[in-house]
Amino acid sequence: MIKKIGVGLLGLGTVGEEVFKLIKGNHLFSNEKLEIEFEIYAIYVKDINKKRNVDVSGIHITSNYEEVVNNPDIHVCIECMGGAGADKTVEIIDAAIRKGKHIIMSSKKCLAYNMNHIIDMANYYNVQLRFEATVGGAIPICRTLMSMSSENKINRMYGVINATTNYVLSLMEKYNIDFDEALNIAKEKGITENDSSEDIDGWDAAYKMKILAGIGMKADINLDEISPVSVSSLVNLKNDNIRIKQIFYVEKSSDNKIMFYVGPAELEKNNVMYNVRENYNIVFVDSSYSGIRAYYGKGAGGKETASAMYEDLLDIYKQCYWFELTDVTTCEKIDINEISNRFEDGE
Amino acid sequence: MIKKIGVGLLGLGTVGEEVFKLIKGNHLFSNEKLEIEFEIYAIYVKDINKKRNVDVSGIHITSNYEEVVNNPDIHVCIECMGGAGADKTVEIIDAAIRKGKHIIMSSKKCLAYNMNHIIDMANYYNVQLRFEATVGGAIPICRTLMSMSSENKINRMYGVINATTNYVLSLMEKYNIDFDEALNIAKEKGITENDSSEDIDGWDAAYKMKILAGIGMKADINLDEISPVSVSSLVNLKNDNIRIKQIFYVEKSSDNKIMFYVGPAELEKNNVMYNVRENYNIVFVDSSYSGIRAYYGKGAGGKETASAMYEDLLDIYKQCYWFELTDVTTCEKIDINEISNRFEDGE
């Protein structure tokens, strides 16, 4: 017996179109209990007249999101609203959750600013929530954290988590030039957007750190306290033994105190992170039972992100998962001059 | 309503004792559907008189495995029989599967030699099978491969997968000495056993490669065709820009042809693997949707391995998973002089 699962897409940009193609091409899914057929019934877009690169004939396209979230045949909404702004996105997610739709997210800024609220809503309205695509694309890091037993306590997480900035820093090292010159080259190549300030100033990494700390440490970090350090105007060290990376670092002590850092750090050539270059990301997880482990992959890309969202979709129908956040007692920033001491050689 | 799940341990050595402690300390598990209480009812050991480091009072200890596998109150058997030999281990696993017990394995040699048979048995007798602890300890790589959608096809897997050999090679690099001298130092320190030939000659890596190819590529590789290249007697290169690692590499083409390699390879200093040192492992997965991703962690250790097995235990009660193997059309070894060309810088 095939059970039909109606899907609503929220957004049809680069990522949305890749998700659309994946679901269209792979709509049948079987597991132990069910055979499932996924079908996209409706798509919310900002501009219904914009030309799309996928064939949406037969599917209801609308710029009124209520026509998606109120549709009783839609079970799960997939949010790909990257450019829409956090407020508009959370308004729509909120409405979808109230209508009992499961939610798959990709907009990290929206999730970071509203994580507590979205988790509370999902738990209250008894819907499943997934957001692998908000952090490190297809690694998959969120699912790994979700699969850890509660006894396996995470003490620290750190790594390189913004592809744009890492790409520019790699150009800086490769050509032995300063950051601003490398940024110009990247812009000319069309690899970075004209306004990459959220990437370069560390906000993108801060959002992702908050999301990871929320899953892995159940910690509700206040974004206003993070104050990331920008990498703009960094001067090239002209030293082959050291590379500068934009890193995030978050540590939780047994009494629920959080220490964190987002910004540049010097990494020695024996450090695994030294060789994480271009648009690759890496997340290290240090936990009580498993010691230090790391997860590496491309941090961005339409196909990679869509693949993560598609696996989120399958995961919702494989097992339920409930998130929770607890308050942190204190939240303290680590000094830039001290951060490099936190990484041992070879980690 | 708490459902009681009876557990039978097969083996109570280093890993078995860590698993014992984990289950004793964390016997309650709740998920969406059930509250579960795990209880160890019986333990099979080779020598019932041997002194144990855990308190087994009240638990039936026996050197007759039938008293474990025939126990109707035992639902799942956890195999920690590392030293017993592949034939004895598979005899017991076979018996347990016939009695309808779910199986969690840690013995990689047994699994590698009997993978086809064990999977067939598990599928036929409708029991769940997990074996995270057979490859790379707690990374977790098996579960990552199992969670990938079938459309996300794995083209290649490679990496550093034997902790002992990697540790000795790291000593070789660190002190600028040849392999045999480094091995003696490691033996004196008690880090390697007196007979590490399975590690050094590449058989341990070959078993793990076969297991990974079985899950990730559904390929049934014949162990007799692998002929790993030993790293013993390697001479130190005395070149800081290159490190030698023992690697595994397996590639699958669209017509189900497999190419593979196990043995030493030269890695340049820009390669992420260059910095995977001591007892750390890394597995790279290159797939159609997600590109190149990698998973890094300690490859060995009682606690890490036990943690992986414990998470396997929880996973069985979260969702069902069925393995399958398909025959490979051809299976070809890559020449040692060509293997380094297969890794691009920075992968």
Side-chain angles (χ1 to χ4, degrees), chain B residues 206-222:
Chain B
Y207 303 148
K208 290 163 176 169
M209 177 176 79
K210 175 180 168 146
I211 293 167
L212 289 177
I215 318 170
M217 298 168 166
K218 305 202 187 324
D220 190 13
I221 294 178
N222 186 344

Side-chain angles (χ1 to χ4, degrees), chain A residues 145-165:
Chain A
L145 298 179
M146 287 158 64
S147 76
M148 289 172 65
S149 75
S150 53
E151 281 311 306
N152 198 359
K153 300 220 182 300
I154 294 175
N155 307 312
R156 297 186 298 166
M157 287 188 287
Y158 53 90
V160 174
I161 201 71
N162 178 269
T164 299
T165 305

Side-chain angles (χ1 to χ4, degrees), chain A residues 132 135-144 160-161 280-283 294-299 304 308 311, chain B residues 144 148 285 290 292-295:
Chain A
E132 191 69 65
V135 188
I139 289 179
I141 184 61
C142 297
R143 202 160 308 128
T144 299
V160 174
I161 201 71
Y280 281 91
N281 286 177
I282 191 164
V283 177
Y295 307 91
Y296 167 95
K298 277 210 179 127
E304 290 84 352
E311 282 174 13
Chain B
T144 299
M148 289 173 65
V285 180
S290 309
I292 292 170
R293 301 180 291 175
Y295 307 90

